[in-house]
Amino acid sequence: MTGNVGLRRFVPAAAAPAPAPDAATVQAGDVSQAGGGQQAGGGQQPGPPPGGAPPQEKCELCATEVPAEHGHVADLEQSTLICACRACYLLFTHAQAGRGRYRAVPDRYLHDPARQLSVAEWDEFEIPVGLAFFLRSSQRAEERGEERGEVSAFYPSPAGATESTLNLEKWDRLSSAHPLLRAAAADTEAILICRGEHGVEYFLVPIDACYELAGRMRLHWRGFDGGTEARTSIAEFLSGVRSRSRAFREEP
């Protein structure tokens, strides 16, 4: 695998997480006000001391304490997530903030009940498992001088997230019939698709939800088929995605 991809933390032989931006990147005046949090995600915090309460989570940009549910900022160079307070999160909602390296992760969850994805269409992806997420990388687009990045599929496993690059012609053909597939923002949002007993479901989700899914797989998977605990955890994750999703409306 070459280049920077959006879930490097969960790919085997992952690079170490990048340090937070230095003062030259984030001006103190820009992050002086602490705010509320957004969603929970993949930020890693120290474990609780023996016999003690869990440590208070902190913004990795300004060290302000944050609640358990907080926003995240994506480091596009290192393909990692940074836990952020509300003020720091808002700072990086602008595309050029942090010299383009850091980008706030949106918090929207969408589904498209009007355009169901068929089993035959799912089979066109040629994914060997029933659960995967799809991410477009702007970093790779820049490296290759392309206007748009390639789309990669990731399917979580106990060893990490396995990556497979998709055929863009097939992706574009399916996207023309299912516009939600092309609605995800590069690097910070993904398309989650799962095939189950009742057909194929697909959602637009924030990238930190994909981190959470990969983390659940690594934490709970046991044996060849994952075991009851892993299946229960994945079912809980999907139930949460469904409950948070709102209907997608294509912009004219």
Side-chain angles (χ1 to χ4, degrees):
M1 182 178 62
T2 60
N4 295 309
V5 293
L7 290 170
R8 177 65 57 82
R9 178 180 291 176
F10 292 106
V11 176
D22 56 26
T25 302
V26 183
Q27 299 298 322
D30 291 331
V31 294
S32 59
Q33 296 180 356
Q38 286 198 316
Q39 64 202 38
Q44 296 180 340
Q45 299 292 335
Q56 177 65 50
E57 296 187 62
K58 293 186 177 181
C59 173
E60 296 178 67
L61 300 172
C62 70
T64 297
E65 291 187 353
V66 296
E69 296 219 348
H70 53 264
H72 294 95
V73 173
D75 181 336
L76 302 190
E77 290 186 7
Q78 294 296 326
S79 298
T80 55
L81 291 183
I82 297 170
C83 296
C85 68
R86 183 62 174 172
C88 290
Y89 175 90
L90 292 174
L91 176 64
F92 292 105
T93 55
H94 305 289
Q96 300 307 314
R99 301 169 187 166
R101 174 175 175 176
Y102 303 98
R103 193 168 302 164
V105 177
D107 62 354
R108 62 178 183 165
Y109 288 73
L110 301 174
H111 69 123
D112 192 354
R115 302 176 182 87
Q116 297 296 318
L117 196 64
S118 69
V119 172
E121 288 173 321
W122 163 256
D123 290 340
E124 288 193 48
F125 290 118
E126 299 180 351
I127 301 297
V129 295
L131 179 66
F133 40 87
F134 301 80
L135 174 69
R136 188 181 296 276
S137 170
S138 64
Q139 295 291 99
R140 285 190 172 179
E142 293 176 1
E143 291 171 2
R144 300 182 181 187
E146 302 171 345
E147 292 184 3
R148 56 186 182 135
E150 65 184 17
V151 176
S152 295
F154 294 87
Y155 19 106
S157 74
T162 301
E163 179 191 7
S164 175
T165 301
L166 297 181
N167 180 303
L168 276 181
E169 291 184 1
K170 291 182 179 179
W171 179 262
D172 288 344
R173 183 170 64 254
L174 289 173
S175 296
S176 64
H178 304 278
L180 181 62
L181 297 181
R182 60 174 183 266
D187 306 307
T188 58
E189 294 181 320
I191 300 298
L192 171 68
I193 304 181
C194 55
R195 176 179 177 178
E197 298 178 356
H198 305 292
V200 181
E201 297 179 280
Y202 67 111
F203 307 89
L204 183 152
V205 300
I207 194 65
D208 50 12
C210 300
Y211 277 64
E212 178 188 349
L213 174 59
R216 283 172 179 258
M217 294 281 283
R218 296 185 68 175
L219 180 63
H220 298 296
W221 192 276
R222 299 292 184 272
F224 178 76
D225 65 351
T228 301
E229 188 176 4
R231 290 193 293 271
T232 299
S233 181
I234 293 171
E236 290 175 349
F237 170 82
L238 293 174
S239 178
V241 169
R242 294 186 191 103
S243 66
R244 300 181 70 171
S245 295
R246 68 180 192 273
F248 169 70
R249 295 181 180 178
E250 187 176 10
E251 295 181 1

